[in-house]
Amino acid sequence: MGKNRLEAFSDGVLAIIITIMVLELKVPHGETLDVLLPLVPTFLSYVLSFVYLGIYWNNHHHMLHVATRVTGPMLWANLHLLFWLSLFPFATGWMGENHFAPMPSALYGLVLLMAAIAYWLLEQAIIASEGAASLLRRAVGRDWKGKLSPLLYGVAIVTTFLAPWIAQAIYVFVAILWLVPDPCIERALHRGEPWP
């Protein structure tokens, strides 16, 4: 299988996930602004999840761009990632409709944690396929954000039962951390230089 087919399949799945998420935003009955107030938590959780899906789509695109071939382990690792991303609509809806209550927020954090682990596994499958001297391996470097994010998700999952607003702040912080992707892959492609 060529990587274009893998990218197209992944893009299609992500588009469906985003579509399902937006369909969860129910139109309120009424024509005044006050009918929108109960929807604010649902809308905020949608925005956060939309940003996360955008981050995954962007980084997934960059990562597959440097892969030269697709292997069986890469296919399974990609499906594993898509599985966890496909749970975003459920976790997002449950958290938003319950106004960021501890248990739904913890489940949301668990989905974020598992998606981060799945992304790392896909990255490692590509590196294993390409070899230790691969462009992706050089581009990723120490990958401090990839190591810090799961740790922060774990802290947020525990914290949500003590101070839910801190957990939400951690989820937002990690999203901001990843919002602007590192230029590591572009730099490695254009200059042949590793990212520190």
Side-chain angles (χ1 to χ4, degrees), residues 5-140:
R5 187 170 175 198
L6 178 62
E7 285 177 306
F9 175 75
S10 301
D11 288 350
V13 171
L14 285 169
I16 291 169
I17 292 168
I18 289 172
T19 302
I20 292 169
M21 269 191 353
V22 77
L23 291 175
E24 290 296 316
L25 295 175
K26 304 299 180 198
V27 176
H29 298 288
E31 56 189 47
T32 59
L33 288 178
D34 61 324
V35 299
L36 295 176
L37 288 178
L39 298 177
V40 169
T42 303
F43 179 72
L44 291 176
S45 63
Y46 166 77
V47 169
L48 182 61
S49 292
F50 187 90
V51 168
Y52 267 112
L53 288 170
I55 291 165
Y56 274 104
W57 175 78
N58 194 330
N59 290 328
H60 186 269
H61 167 75
H62 282 90
M63 186 166 55
L64 287 181
H65 183 71
V66 298
T68 58
R69 60 191 176 128
V70 175
T71 64
M74 286 169 58
L75 291 174
W76 285 110
N78 194 67
L79 282 174
H80 182 231
L81 172 62
L82 293 176
F83 169 77
W84 290 107
L85 295 180
S86 73
L87 294 177
F88 269 51
F90 174 78
T92 300
W94 195 34
M95 182 175 72
E97 288 184 19
N98 290 289
H99 298 239
F100 307 102
M103 189 56 73
S105 293
L107 177 71
Y108 186 80
L110 179 64
V111 171
L112 289 174
L113 173 63
M114 296 308 295
I117 291 169
Y119 184 86
W120 179 82
L121 289 172
L122 175 58
E123 182 181 89
Q124 296 309 304
I126 293 171
I127 290 171
S129 168
E130 303 281 322
S134 71
L135 183 59
L136 181 60
R137 177 71 194 112
R138 292 194 320 265
V140 169

Side-chain angles (χ1 to χ4, degrees), residues 48 51-52 55-56 112 116 145 148-154 156 167-180:
L48 182 61
V51 168
Y52 267 112
I55 291 165
Y56 274 104
L112 289 174
K145 289 196 296 188
L148 179 62
S149 299
L151 177 67
L152 290 174
Y153 293 142
Q168 295 302 323
I170 293 171
Y171 298 149
V172 170
F173 173 75
V174 175
I176 291 170
L177 191 68
W178 283 98
L179 196 55
V180 178

